Amino acid sequence: DAGVIQSPRHEVTEMGQEVTLRCKPISGHNSLFWYRQTMMRGLELLIYFNNNVPIDDSGMPEDRFSAKMPNASFSTLKIQPSEPRDSAVYFCASILSQTAINPNYGYTFGSGTRLTVV
Amino acid sequence: EDQVTQSPEALRLQEGESSSLNCSYTVSGLRGLFWYRQDPGKGPEFLFTLYSAGEEKEKERLKATLTKKESFLHITAPKPEDSATYLCAVRAPGANNLFFGTGTRLTVIP
């Protein structure tokens, strides 16, 4: 099991540029979550998908952010145009929703993408 | 509004000095309280899930407990490798996502 795979690990971009972050969930997991982590606000949910369908995107900061999940094994988070205040670590997590209430299972997180917008 | 508050923000312990981390929550109809460990430059790593008041879980030097208003993560005789940020999260009713606290940064000094 390779775990949740995110790419790139680090991204440095100039203000105004488009940024695309990628996530491959654990095979067989049907719920996928995008979180953003900053020192000031900690981990915040941006959006989550269930069976590839967006369920809750209320955490997406504004129209500059968009997320897609074209199939069960891939999701993207896009920021266009990027701004310095978007600098943060972006995490993807996945779980098999039927096990979400199983006390032995937790949501599995990727290693994150550290985004710096200058 | 659902809230998760962790304390203290930071904790320094001598190796072998036991202590507890606190997570207080205000969620109606809790559907799970989760503890995660996060090392620098890495994603959160799952430790425990607790569902009902009175429940306890243990893993090596860590023990998590749950009441109706808070959870404690007890660390017994910590070692330097226990140094990390410990995150608490809750899953609210009708939701599949986790709502996180801001964490406790633990440093264990040899």
Side-chain angles (χ1 to χ4, degrees), chain A residues 9 31 33 35 37 40-43 45 48 50 56 91 97 100-111, chain B residues 31 34 36 38 41-46 48-49 51 55 57 87 91 94-102 105:
Chain A
R9 285 299 312 275
S31 291
F33 307 80
Y35 283 88
Q37 187 174 41
M40 290 297 294
R41 301 173 68 89
L43 271 164
L45 178 73
Y48 84 87
N50 210 38
D56 182 356
F91 287 102
S97 61
I101 58 171
N102 186 316
N104 296 318
Y105 288 89
Y107 299 64
T108 303
F109 282 76
S111 298
Chain B
R31 287 172 61 232
F34 295 73
Y36 279 83
Q38 186 175 23
K42 296 189 177 181
E45 176 187 346
F46 172 69
F48 306 108
T49 309
Y51 286 97
E55 190 175 357
K57 293 275 180 72
L87 298 164
R91 185 171 58 220
N96 221 15
N97 56 289
L98 298 182
F99 184 76
F100 281 86
T102 52
R105 188 173 65 255

Coordinates of all heavy atoms in Angstrom, one line a residue, chain A residues 9 31 33 35 37 40-43 45 48 50 56 91 97 100-111, chain B residues 31 34 36 38 41-46 48-49 51 55 57 87 91 94-102 105:
Chain A
R9 N 5.8 17.9 -4.1 CA 6.0 18.1 -2.7 C 6.2 19.5 -2.4 O 5.7 20.0 -1.3 CB 7.2 17.3 -2.2 CG 7.1 15.8 -2.1 CD 6.0 15.4 -1.1 NE 6.1 16.1 0.2 CZ 6.8 15.7 1.2 NH1 7.6 14.6 1.0 NH2 6.8 16.3 2.3
S31 N -13.8 8.1 -0.4 CA -13.9 9.5 0.1 C -12.6 10.2 0.1 O -11.6 9.6 0.5 CB -14.5 9.6 1.5 OG -15.8 9.2 1.5
F33 N -10.5 14.1 0.6 CA -10.6 15.4 1.3 C -9.3 16.2 0.9 O -8.2 15.7 0.9 CB -10.6 15.2 2.8 CG -11.7 14.2 3.3 CD1 -11.5 12.9 3.2 CD2 -12.9 14.7 3.8 CE1 -12.4 12.0 3.7 CE2 -13.8 13.8 4.2 CZ -13.6 12.5 4.2
Y35 N -7.3 19.5 2.5 CA -7.2 20.3 3.6 C -6.0 21.3 3.3 O -5.1 21.0 2.5 CB -6.8 19.6 4.9 CG -7.9 18.8 5.5 CD1 -8.3 17.5 5.1 CD2 -8.6 19.4 6.6 CE1 -9.3 16.9 5.8 CE2 -9.7 18.8 7.2 CZ -10.0 17.5 6.8 OH -11.1 16.8 7.4
Q37 N -3.2 23.7 5.5 CA -2.6 23.9 6.9 C -1.8 25.2 6.9 O -0.8 25.3 6.1 CB -1.8 22.7 7.3 CG -1.4 22.8 8.8 CD -0.7 21.5 9.3 OE1 0.1 20.9 8.6 NE2 -1.0 21.1 10.5
M40 N -1.4 29.9 11.4 CA -2.4 30.7 12.1 C -3.7 30.0 12.3 O -4.4 30.1 13.3 CB -2.7 32.0 11.3 CG -1.6 33.0 11.3 SD -1.3 33.6 12.9 CE -2.8 34.5 13.3
R41 N -4.1 29.2 11.3 CA -5.5 28.6 11.3 C -5.5 27.1 11.4 O -6.5 26.5 11.4 CB -6.2 29.0 10.0 CG -6.3 30.5 9.9 CD -7.0 30.9 8.6 NE -8.3 30.5 8.5 CZ -9.4 31.2 8.8 NH1 -9.2 32.4 9.3 NH2 -10.6 30.7 8.7
G42 N -4.3 26.5 11.4 CA -4.2 25.0 11.5 C -4.7 24.3 10.2 O -4.7 24.9 9.1
L43 N -5.3 23.1 10.4 CA -5.9 22.4 9.3 C -7.3 22.8 9.0 O -8.2 22.6 9.9 CB -5.8 20.9 9.6 CG -4.6 20.1 9.2 CD1 -4.5 18.8 10.0 CD2 -4.5 19.9 7.7
L45 N -10.6 22.3 6.3 CA -11.1 21.5 5.1 C -11.5 22.5 4.0 O -12.1 23.5 4.2 CB -12.4 20.8 5.6 CG -13.1 20.0 4.4 CD1 -12.3 18.8 4.1 CD2 -14.5 19.6 4.8
Y48 N -14.6 18.1 0.0 CA -14.4 16.7 0.0 C -15.4 16.0 -1.0 O -16.4 16.6 -1.3 CB -14.5 16.1 1.4 CG -15.9 15.8 2.0 CD1 -16.5 14.6 1.7 CD2 -16.5 16.7 2.9 CE1 -17.7 14.3 2.3 CE2 -17.7 16.4 3.4 CZ -18.3 15.2 3.2 OH -19.5 14.9 3.8
N50 N -17.2 12.3 -2.3 CA -17.6 11.0 -2.0 C -18.0 10.3 -3.3 O -18.8 10.8 -4.1 CB -18.9 11.0 -1.1 CG -18.9 9.8 -0.2 OD1 -17.9 9.3 0.3 ND2 -20.1 9.3 0.1
D56 N -19.1 18.7 -0.2 CA -19.0 19.9 0.6 C -17.8 20.8 0.1 O -16.7 20.4 0.4 CB -18.9 19.6 2.1 CG -19.0 20.9 3.0 OD1 -19.0 22.0 2.4 OD2 -18.9 20.7 4.2
F91 N -2.9 19.4 2.1 CA -3.0 18.0 2.3 C -4.2 17.4 1.6 O -5.3 17.9 1.6 CB -3.0 17.6 3.8 CG -1.8 17.9 4.5 CD1 -1.6 19.0 5.3 CD2 -0.7 17.0 4.4 CE1 -0.4 19.2 6.0 CE2 0.5 17.2 5.1 CZ 0.6 18.3 5.9
S97 N -15.5 5.1 3.0 CA -16.5 5.7 3.9 C -17.2 4.7 4.7 O -17.6 5.0 5.9 CB -17.5 6.5 3.1 OG -18.2 5.6 2.1
A100 N -15.5 4.4 7.9 CA -15.3 5.7 8.7 C -15.7 5.6 10.1 O -15.3 6.3 11.0 CB -16.0 6.8 8.0
I101 N -16.7 4.7 10.4 CA -17.1 4.5 11.8 C -16.4 3.3 12.5 O -16.7 3.0 13.6 CB -18.6 4.4 11.9 CG1 -19.1 3.2 11.1 CG2 -19.3 5.7 11.5 CD1 -20.6 2.9 11.4
N102 N -15.5 2.7 11.8 CA -14.7 1.6 12.4 C -13.7 2.2 13.3 O -12.8 3.0 12.8 CB -14.1 0.8 11.3 CG -13.4 -0.5 11.8 OD1 -12.7 -0.4 12.8 ND2 -13.7 -1.6 11.2
P103 N -13.6 1.8 14.6 CA -12.7 2.4 15.5 C -11.2 2.1 15.2 O -10.3 2.7 15.8 CB -13.1 1.8 16.9 CG -13.8 0.6 16.5 CD -14.5 0.8 15.2
N104 N -11.0 1.2 14.3 CA -9.6 0.9 14.0 C -9.1 1.6 12.8 O -7.9 1.5 12.4 CB -9.5 -0.6 13.7 CG -9.8 -1.5 14.9 OD1 -9.4 -1.1 16.0 ND2 -10.5 -2.5 14.8
Y105 N -9.9 2.4 12.2 CA -9.5 3.1 11.0 C -9.6 4.6 11.2 O -10.5 5.2 11.8 CB -10.4 2.8 9.8 CG -10.2 1.4 9.3 CD1 -10.9 0.3 9.8 CD2 -9.3 1.1 8.3 CE1 -10.7 -1.0 9.3 CE2 -9.1 -0.1 7.8 CZ -9.8 -1.2 8.3 OH -9.6 -2.5 7.9
G106 N -8.6 5.3 10.6 CA -8.6 6.7 10.5 C -8.4 7.2 9.1 O -8.1 6.4 8.2
Y107 N -8.6 8.4 8.9 CA -8.4 9.0 7.6 C -6.9 9.0 7.3 O -6.1 9.4 8.2 CB -8.9 10.5 7.6 CG -10.4 10.6 7.8 CD1 -11.0 10.2 9.0 CD2 -11.2 11.1 6.8 CE1 -12.3 10.3 9.2 CE2 -12.6 11.2 7.0 CZ -13.1 10.8 8.2 OH -14.5 10.9 8.5
T108 N -6.5 8.6 6.1 CA -5.0 8.6 5.8 C -4.7 9.8 5.0 O -5.3 10.1 4.0 CB -4.7 7.3 4.9 OG1 -5.2 6.1 5.6 CG2 -3.2 7.2 4.7
F109 N -3.6 10.5 5.5 CA -3.2 11.7 4.9 C -2.0 11.5 4.0 O -1.1 10.6 4.3 CB -2.8 12.8 5.9 CG -4.0 13.4 6.5 CD1 -4.8 12.8 7.5 CD2 -4.3 14.7 6.2 CE1 -5.9 13.4 8.0 CE2 -5.4 15.4 6.7 CZ -6.2 14.7 7.6
G110 N -1.8 12.3 2.9 CA -0.6 12.3 2.2 C 0.4 13.2 2.8 O 0.2 13.7 3.9
S111 N 1.6 13.3 2.2 CA 2.7 14.1 2.8 C 2.6 15.6 2.6 O 3.3 16.3 3.1 CB 4.0 13.5 2.3 OG 4.2 12.2 2.6
Chain B
R31 N -19.6 12.0 16.4 CA -19.5 10.8 15.7 C -18.0 10.4 15.6 O -17.6 9.9 14.6 CB -20.1 10.9 14.3 CG -21.6 10.9 14.3 CD -22.2 11.2 13.0 NE -21.8 10.2 12.0 CZ -21.2 10.5 10.8 NH1 -20.9 11.8 10.5 NH2 -20.9 9.6 10.0
F34 N -10.9 12.0 17.1 CA -9.7 11.4 16.5 C -8.4 12.1 17.0 O -8.4 13.3 17.2 CB -9.7 11.6 14.9 CG -10.8 10.9 14.2 CD1 -12.1 11.3 14.3 CD2 -10.5 9.7 13.5 CE1 -13.1 10.6 13.7 CE2 -11.5 9.1 12.8 CZ -12.8 9.5 12.9
Y36 N -4.3 12.5 16.1 CA -3.3 12.3 15.1 C -2.0 12.8 15.6 O -1.9 13.7 16.4 CB -3.6 13.1 13.8 CG -4.6 12.4 12.9 CD1 -6.0 12.5 13.2 CD2 -4.2 11.7 11.8 CE1 -6.9 11.9 12.3 CE2 -5.1 11.0 11.0 CZ -6.5 11.1 11.2 OH -7.4 10.5 10.4
Q38 N 1.6 14.5 14.1 CA 2.2 15.1 12.9 C 3.7 15.4 13.2 O 4.0 16.2 14.1 CB 1.4 16.3 12.4 CG 1.9 16.8 11.1 CD 1.1 18.0 10.6 OE1 0.4 18.7 11.3 NE2 1.1 18.2 9.3
G41 N 7.1 18.4 8.4 CA 7.3 18.1 6.9 C 6.5 16.8 6.5 O 6.6 16.4 5.4
K42 N 5.6 16.3 7.4 CA 4.8 15.1 7.1 C 3.3 15.4 7.3 O 3.0 16.3 7.9 CB 5.3 13.9 7.9 CG 6.7 13.5 7.6 CD 7.1 12.2 8.3 CE 8.5 11.8 7.9 NZ 8.8 10.5 8.6
G43 N 2.5 14.5 6.8 CA 1.1 14.6 7.0 C 0.7 14.0 8.3 O 1.5 13.2 8.9
P44 N -0.4 14.3 8.8 CA -0.9 13.7 10.1 C -1.0 12.2 10.0 O -1.4 11.6 9.0 CB -2.3 14.3 10.3 CG -2.2 15.6 9.5 CD -1.4 15.3 8.3
E45 N -0.6 11.5 11.1 CA -0.6 10.1 11.2 C -1.6 9.7 12.2 O -1.6 10.1 13.4 CB 0.8 9.6 11.5 CG 0.9 8.1 11.7 CD 2.2 7.6 12.3 OE1 3.2 8.4 12.3 OE2 2.3 6.5 12.8
F46 N -2.6 8.8 11.8 CA -3.7 8.4 12.7 C -3.1 7.6 13.9 O -2.3 6.7 13.8 CB -4.6 7.5 11.9 CG -5.7 6.8 12.7 CD1 -6.7 7.6 13.3 CD2 -5.7 5.4 12.9 CE1 -7.7 7.0 14.0 CE2 -6.7 4.8 13.6 CZ -7.7 5.6 14.2
F48 N -5.7 7.3 17.2 CA -6.8 6.7 17.8 C -8.1 7.3 17.3 O -8.1 8.4 16.9 CB -6.8 6.9 19.4 CG -5.6 6.5 20.1 CD1 -4.7 7.4 20.6 CD2 -5.3 5.2 20.3 CE1 -3.5 7.1 21.3 CE2 -4.2 4.8 21.0 CZ -3.3 5.7 21.5
T49 N -9.2 6.5 17.5 CA -10.5 7.1 17.4 C -11.3 6.7 18.6 O -11.3 5.5 19.0 CB -11.3 6.6 16.1 OG1 -10.5 6.7 15.0 CG2 -12.6 7.3 16.0
Y51 N -15.3 7.0 20.5 CA -16.7 7.2 20.1 C -17.6 7.6 21.3 O -18.6 8.3 21.1 CB -17.2 6.1 19.3 CG -16.7 6.0 17.9 CD1 -15.6 5.1 17.6 CD2 -17.2 6.8 16.9 CE1 -15.1 5.1 16.4 CE2 -16.7 6.7 15.6 CZ -15.6 5.9 15.4 OH -15.1 5.8 14.1
E55 N -14.7 5.8 27.0 CA -13.8 4.9 26.2 C -12.4 5.3 26.4 O -12.0 6.4 26.5 CB -14.3 5.0 24.7 CG -13.6 4.0 23.8 CD -14.2 4.1 22.4 OE1 -15.1 5.0 22.2 OE2 -13.7 3.4 21.5
K57 N -8.3 4.2 24.8 CA -7.5 3.5 23.8 C -6.0 3.6 24.2 O -5.6 4.7 24.6 CB -7.7 4.0 22.4 CG -9.1 3.8 21.8 CD -9.2 2.4 21.2 CE -10.6 2.2 20.6 NZ -10.8 3.0 19.4
L87 N -2.5 16.3 17.1 CA -3.8 17.0 16.7 C -5.0 16.2 17.1 O -5.0 15.0 17.1 CB -3.8 17.1 15.1 CG -2.6 17.9 14.5 CD1 -2.5 17.6 13.0 CD2 -2.9 19.4 14.7
R91 N -15.6 14.5 14.2 CA -16.5 14.4 13.1 C -17.9 14.6 13.6 O -18.4 14.0 14.5 CB -16.4 13.0 12.4 CG -17.2 12.9 11.2 CD -17.0 11.6 10.5 NE -17.3 10.4 11.3 CZ -16.5 9.3 11.3 NH1 -15.5 9.2 10.6 NH2 -16.9 8.3 12.1
G94 N -23.8 14.0 10.5 CA -24.2 14.3 9.1 C -23.0 14.7 8.2 O -23.2 15.2 7.1
A95 N -21.8 14.6 8.8 CA -20.6 15.0 8.0 C -19.6 13.9 7.9 O -19.5 13.1 8.9 CB -20.0 16.3 8.6
N96 N -18.9 13.8 6.9 CA -17.8 12.8 6.8 C -16.4 13.4 7.0 O -15.4 12.7 7.0 CB -17.9 12.1 5.4 CG -17.7 10.6 5.6 OD1 -17.7 10.1 6.6 ND2 -17.4 10.0 4.4
N97 N -16.4 14.8 7.1 CA -15.1 15.4 7.2 C -14.7 15.6 8.7 O -15.6 15.5 9.6 CB -15.1 16.8 6.5 CG -16.1 17.7 7.1 OD1 -17.3 17.5 6.8 ND2 -15.8 18.7 7.8
L98 N -13.4 15.8 8.9 CA -12.9 16.0 10.3 C -12.7 17.5 10.5 O -12.2 18.2 9.6 CB -11.6 15.3 10.5 CG -11.7 13.8 10.4 CD1 -10.3 13.2 10.6 CD2 -12.7 13.2 11.3
F99 N -13.0 18.0 11.7 CA -12.7 19.4 12.1 C -11.6 19.3 13.1 O -11.8 18.8 14.2 CB -14.0 20.0 12.7 CG -13.9 21.4 13.0 CD1 -13.9 22.4 12.0 CD2 -13.8 21.8 14.3 CE1 -13.8 23.7 12.3 CE2 -13.7 23.2 14.6 CZ -13.7 24.1 13.6
F100 N -10.5 20.0 12.8 CA -9.3 19.9 13.6 C -9.1 21.0 14.6 O -9.5 22.2 14.3 CB -8.1 19.8 12.7 CG -7.8 18.5 12.1 CD1 -8.4 18.2 10.9 CD2 -7.0 17.6 12.7 CE1 -8.2 16.9 10.3 CE2 -6.7 16.3 12.1 CZ -7.3 16.0 10.9
G101 N -8.5 20.7 15.8 CA -7.9 21.7 16.6 C -6.5 22.1 16.1 O -6.1 21.6 15.1
T102 N -5.9 23.1 16.7 CA -4.7 23.7 16.2 C -3.5 22.9 16.7 O -2.3 23.2 16.3 CB -4.5 25.2 16.6 OG1 -4.8 25.3 18.0 CG2 -5.6 26.0 15.8
R105 N 2.2 21.2 20.4 CA 3.6 20.8 20.0 C 4.3 20.3 21.2 O 4.6 21.0 22.1 CB 4.2 22.0 19.4 CG 5.6 21.7 18.7 CD 6.1 23.0 18.0 NE 6.4 24.0 18.9 CZ 5.7 25.1 19.0 NH1 4.6 25.3 18.3 NH2 6.1 26.1 19.9

